[in-house]
Amino acid sequence: MPQGPSSTLEIPETGLIPKHIAIIMDGNGRWARNRFMPRMAGHQQGVETVRGVIKACIERNVAYLTLFAFSSENWRRPAEEISFLMQLFTGALEQEITKLHENGIRFKVIGDISKFEPKIIEFIQSGEQLTAQNTRLTFTIAANYGGRWDIMQAMRKMMAQSSEVPLNFEEENLAQYLSLSYAPEPDLFIRTGGECRISNFLLWQLAYTELYFTNTLWPDFNEHELELAIQSYQQRERRFGRTSEQLQMALSAEG
């Protein structure tokens, strides 16, 4: 079952530090182009940024970090770039899983991994198994992932549990089959690179997530940039359908 309530069914607990941060890592290619470097150099630098963001999240007691690495639509990119991304993904898995485990980080991958090469699938499965009991941070990579795919695969799994198509199912019946069902809904969504859209990422889970867009390109997204995003989050009123007056009354009651 999902770790935490559905924001459309009940009001979740919130705090000054987001429990779950989800990020679209955009701008690797432009970062490289601005430096007269091949796009691949931007992707390589982006991996270094991931390491820094993981460290910064742990220092701030963020419990879940989900990164959008490769969408189901990214297969439309040039074959040469896709090949490089797969090599980079394989290398990162091979090099980083042990380090994640040593630092108490649980590693997860969401998405349709069946399209990946057997070696990548093996690294993913072994990495998830190795780190399954870690609790310091749950680090999730969305790879060959799409929000619509996620909802569709959840629907198929739910229907497969019954010999007949369920006619009167509720939200919680479907939610348990979503790829990210082990995590609470994201508190904070960040997209780097200046684009202001969610690009088929976590369509179900972002229902009441606070959205933050920055012009900073992903390779330049550092601890300071993360802190700016969290500061913006801390200035939001998370009403979940209520009025500001209701929110203030609830906060006063808690105090």
Side-chain angles (χ1 to χ4, degrees), residues 6-7 28 54 66 91 111 128 133 135 145 151 153 157 179 194 205 212 217 234 239 247:
S6 163
S7 57
N28 289 339
I54 290 174
T66 302
E128 288 184 332
Q133 303 305 314
T135 59
Y145 174 90
I151 295 170
Q153 67 85 28
K157 286 181 179 179
S179 296
Q205 296 87 347
Y212 178 84
L217 304 177
Q234 292 170 341
R239 298 192 298 270
L247 176 60

Side-chain angles (χ1 to χ4, degrees), residues 7 185-189 205-211 238 240:
S7 57
E185 295 176 8
D187 299 294
L188 174 62
F189 162 91
Q205 296 87 347
L206 294 181
Y208 272 98
T209 300
E210 299 298 327
L211 309 183
R238 304 202 70 195
F240 299 101

Side-chain angles (χ1 to χ4, degrees), residues 207-248:
Y208 272 98
T209 300
E210 299 298 327
L211 309 183
Y212 178 84
F213 300 97
T214 175
N215 290 326
T216 301
L217 304 177
W218 177 248
D220 292 326
F221 191 85
N222 53 24
E223 182 177 2
H224 173 68
E225 294 291 340
L226 178 65
E227 185 61 34
L228 291 177
I230 293 176
Q231 288 175 5
S232 175
Y233 166 82
Q234 292 170 341
Q235 296 167 11
R236 314 285 180 91
E237 269 195 345
R238 304 202 70 195
R239 298 192 298 270
F240 299 101
R242 298 169 293 174
T243 65
S244 294
E245 290 76 16
Q246 286 177 303
L247 176 60
Q248 292 305 316

Side-chain angles (χ1 to χ4, degrees), residues 3 8 30 55 85 88-89 116-117 149 188 221 236 255:
Q3 297 274 334
T8 57
R30 281 169 286 161
K55 181 175 181 291
L85 288 172
L88 190 63
F89 191 27
F116 295 137
E117 295 179 356
W149 165 86
L188 174 62
F221 191 85
R236 314 285 180 91

Side-chain angles (χ1 to χ4, degrees), residues 69-82:
F70 191 84
S71 79
S72 50
E73 290 74 50
N74 284 153
W75 294 106
R76 301 167 182 169
R77 292 191 175 189
E80 180 183 5
E81 182 170 349
I82 291 174

Side-chain angles (χ1 to χ4, degrees), residues 24 56 159 242:
I24 291 182
M159 293 169 62
R242 298 169 293 174

Side-chain angles (χ1 to χ4, degrees), residues 61-251:
N61 293 317
V62 174
Y64 296 84
L65 173 64
T66 302
L67 303 183
F68 203 7
F70 191 84
S71 79
S72 50
E73 290 74 50
N74 284 153
W75 294 106
R76 301 167 182 169
R77 292 191 175 189
E80 180 183 5
E81 182 170 349
I82 291 174
S83 177
F84 178 82
L85 288 172
M86 293 302 107
Q87 293 176 26
L88 190 63
F89 191 27
T90 302
L93 289 170
E94 188 172 13
Q95 297 173 22
E96 302 299 328
I97 294 297
T98 301
K99 296 177 184 177
L100 293 174
H101 182 53
E102 290 172 350
N103 284 281
I105 299 170
R106 179 169 65 153
F107 172 72
K108 299 282 287 182
V109 173
I110 58 173
D112 182 7
I113 66 171
S114 64
K115 292 188 70 173
F116 295 137
E117 295 179 356
K119 186 176 183 180
I120 293 179
I121 296 174
E122 182 182 348
F123 277 134
I124 291 172
Q125 293 175 340
S126 62
E128 288 184 332
Q129 183 176 1
L130 175 66
T131 64
Q133 303 305 314
N134 296 339
T135 59
R136 194 178 187 189
L137 171 75
T138 296
F139 170 54
T140 300
I141 291 288
N144 194 28
Y145 174 90
R148 292 183 178 180
W149 165 86
D150 197 3
I151 295 170
M152 290 298 295
Q153 67 85 28
M155 181 69 75
R156 294 188 187 101
K157 286 181 179 179
M158 183 186 69
M159 293 169 62
Q161 298 302 308
S162 173
S163 58
E164 299 179 0
V165 177
L167 298 178
N168 298 309
F169 65 89
E170 302 293 339
E171 179 180 316
E172 56 265 30
N173 300 129
L174 180 64
Q176 63 184 304
Y177 296 107
L178 293 168
S179 296
L180 207 57
S181 62
Y182 55 85
E185 295 176 8
D187 299 294
L188 174 62
F189 162 91
I190 301 170
R191 179 167 187 154
T192 64
E195 303 291 352
C196 296
R197 56 178 176 269
I198 60 175
S199 296
N200 197 22
F201 183 42
L202 302 179
L203 296 181
W204 179 287
Q205 296 87 347
L206 294 181
Y208 272 98
T209 300
E210 299 298 327
L211 309 183
Y212 178 84
F213 300 97
T214 175
N215 290 326
T216 301
L217 304 177
W218 177 248
D220 292 326
F221 191 85
N222 53 24
E223 182 177 2
H224 173 68
E225 294 291 340
L226 178 65
E227 185 61 34
L228 291 177
I230 293 176
Q231 288 175 5
S232 175
Y233 166 82
Q234 292 170 341
Q235 296 167 11
R236 314 285 180 91
E237 269 195 345
R238 304 202 70 195
R239 298 192 298 270
F240 299 101
R242 298 169 293 174
T243 65
S244 294
E245 290 76 16
Q246 286 177 303
L247 176 60
Q248 292 305 316
M249 289 178 61
L251 293 174

